[in-house]
Amino acid sequence: MKSIVQTAPRSIELSERDRPVPDDDEVLVRVHYAGLCGSDAHAYTYEEGYEWIPIPRIMGHEYSGEVAAVGDDVTEFAVGDPVVEEPIHDCGTCFQCKNGQENVCQNFEITGMHNDGAYAEYTTVEPDDLHRIPADLPLRQASITEPLSIATRAVFTQSTVTPGDTVLVEGPGPIGVLVAAVADSMGANVVVSGLGKDGAYRLPLVEELGIDTLNVEVDDIDSYVDARTDGIGFDVVFDTTGHKSGVEMAVEHVRKGGQVVVVGLPGDTSDLFMTPIVRGEIEVTTSYGSTWRNFEQALRVMANDAIDVDTIVDTSYSVDDPTAAFEAFLNSETCKPVFSFVDV
Ligand SMILES: [Zn+2]
Ligand SMILES: [Zn+2]
């Protein structure tokens, strides 16, 4: 089968691998669409925190597909079922797993990192890690269920957003765009901020979704925020930038008594000035990963056509040249590239 394999730091190639054979307790999935996300890009560049991943490795963890075979002991799924995998596998036995907090499991393993992933025509998975895709939801759309589940967690589970709230989403990467789309679908008044380089593809994509944008390197952010929020500041700010300046900007532009939800990994924020956060009784919270429930929410949001998935998914990159998709992603020339394994 054709597979996208990482062979060295910043080096990937399409190569031929043997089709995996499912164990008695596993499902064989014929992959249709597989997306590229920020963590795949980090793994590709093999940056700090990702050098433990053994290579060569078949990459990929966000995908949709169809059950192609089931092991003898599998009763929950049958050949032909449309499915997505929950690719962050919790252990089920640690304190957090037993405490209903499996998104912060102490021992999780990620498909495509701890083991071979889904940038391939076939992959094997245990049925407990699968969700059935609603019948009328196309597999191309369902390929983004996992990143969308990160967004449904951030907005529905972790934030206080209600319809009519003014919301700032910092960072127009895939998670930022999906967080904005979910908040917009609830009737919040959303604006997405980005940098100069985001003006080429990502901010126009957000505009295409009908959501306003702000380029912090071009626009005067203070006067924009004052005009948009009547000088009050945003009710809720989501930081998806993965940079400490995102947290600083969030606490500066959230209103007193408002909420900041940190979704990206900002690194060292040890010089963050806390006094105005306390004086404004600003709630700073976090959102990490997602749960079974957040996956089901993501599938329902898409099945109800609540967000414009077709505009977000970019299937213009071919599996024949995976490097092009990764380099374009790193250059912000695309937002959510998705490989099609249907016609390879
Ligand atoms: Zn991902
Ligand atoms: Zn656990």
Side-chain angles (χ1 to χ4, degrees):
M1 63 172 185
K2 291 207 167 67
S3 315
I4 297 172
V5 178
Q6 178 162 26
T7 51
R10 218 161 183 143
S11 177
I12 49 174
E13 61 186 34
L14 188 67
S15 67
E16 241 352 276
R17 290 296 188 90
D18 290 338
R19 184 190 297 192
V21 178
D23 288 340
D24 284 349
D25 62 347
E26 285 182 334
V27 171
L28 180 72
V29 177
R30 169 76 172 96
V31 175
H32 284 232
Y33 294 94
L36 194 167
C37 89
S39 65
D40 296 310
H42 295 312
Y44 168 68
T45 55
Y46 225 58
E47 64 193 56
E48 200 185 330
Y50 292 82
E51 319 100 309
W52 61 269
I53 300 171
I55 43 182
R57 172 65 84 220
I58 300 176
M59 304 179 78
H61 60 271
E62 303 177 355
Y63 69 97
S64 59
E66 223 173 59
V67 173
V70 295
D72 287 345
D73 299 341
V74 174
T75 54
E76 307 95 307
F77 291 94
V79 171
D81 285 347
V83 289
V84 288
E85 178 183 339
E86 229 179 288
I88 304 178
H89 302 163
D90 56 76
C91 73
T93 57
C94 74
F95 180 91
Q96 281 76 6
C97 283
K98 298 213 162 190
N99 201 41
Q101 299 169 306
E102 59 276 13
N103 62 307
V104 286
C105 165
Q106 296 181 41
N107 314 301
F108 61 80
E109 295 195 341
I110 304 175
T111 295
M113 294 186 183
H114 291 85
N115 43 47
D116 277 336
Y119 284 171
E121 290 177 84
Y122 292 90
T123 190
T124 51
V125 55
E126 289 179 14
D128 277 357
D129 296 320
L130 289 175
H131 291 251
R132 203 178 302 275
I133 298 171
D136 49 357
L137 181 61
L139 291 186
R140 183 178 181 274
Q141 294 191 17
S143 65
I144 65 160
T145 306
E146 194 263 349
L148 186 57
S149 77
I150 309 284
T152 55
R153 178 168 194 81
V155 178
F156 295 151
T157 307
Q158 298 299 89
S159 89
T160 56
V161 172
T162 53
D165 277 1
T166 55
V167 172
L168 171 65
V169 180
E170 299 171 348
I175 298 300
V177 169
L178 293 171
V179 164
V182 170
D184 176 67
S185 79
M186 306 171 57
N189 177 6
V190 183
V191 59
V192 175
S193 67
L195 304 172
K197 65 182 163 99
D198 298 316
Y201 180 95
R202 293 180 172 184
L203 291 177
L205 168 68
V206 172
E207 294 276 348
E208 218 178 311
L209 300 175
I211 298 170
D212 291 338
T213 64
L214 168 68
N215 191 324
V216 298
E217 288 179 26
V218 177
D219 305 308
D220 177 357
I221 179 159
D222 289 330
S223 56
Y224 183 94
V225 174
D226 279 352
R228 192 163 178 111
T229 67
D230 291 332
I232 298 170
F234 289 97
D235 295 307
V236 180
V237 180
F238 294 90
D239 173 30
T240 73
T241 62
H243 194 274
K244 78 181 188 100
S245 63
V247 180
E248 290 161 357
M249 182 172 139
V251 298
E252 196 180 326
H253 296 298
V254 71
R255 68 166 168 81
K256 285 188 169 190
Q259 185 193 43
V260 172
V261 184
V262 183
V263 188
L265 303 175
D268 182 3
T269 55
S270 53
D271 55 355
L272 188 70
F273 188 43
M274 285 292 290
T275 299
I277 301 173
V278 177
R279 284 210 165 121
E281 203 176 61
I282 292 161
E283 185 194 351
V284 179
T285 191
T286 60
S287 187
Y288 188 74
S290 60
T291 61
W292 186 91
R293 171 180 165 81
N294 302 133
F295 261 76
E296 290 295 315
Q297 289 168 333
L299 289 165
R300 289 179 181 194
V301 162
M302 290 188 287
N304 288 329
D305 280 328
I307 66 173
D308 182 3
V309 183
D310 276 330
T311 298
I312 297 169
V313 168
D314 178 5
T315 44
S316 68
Y317 296 92
S318 163
V319 295
D320 295 325
D321 185 10
T323 306
F326 276 81
E327 292 296 330
F329 183 86
L330 289 169
N331 291 326
S332 306
E333 291 160 6
T334 178
C335 183
K336 177 48 77 182
V338 172
F339 296 112
S340 168
F341 283 90
V342 181
D343 309 310
V344 295

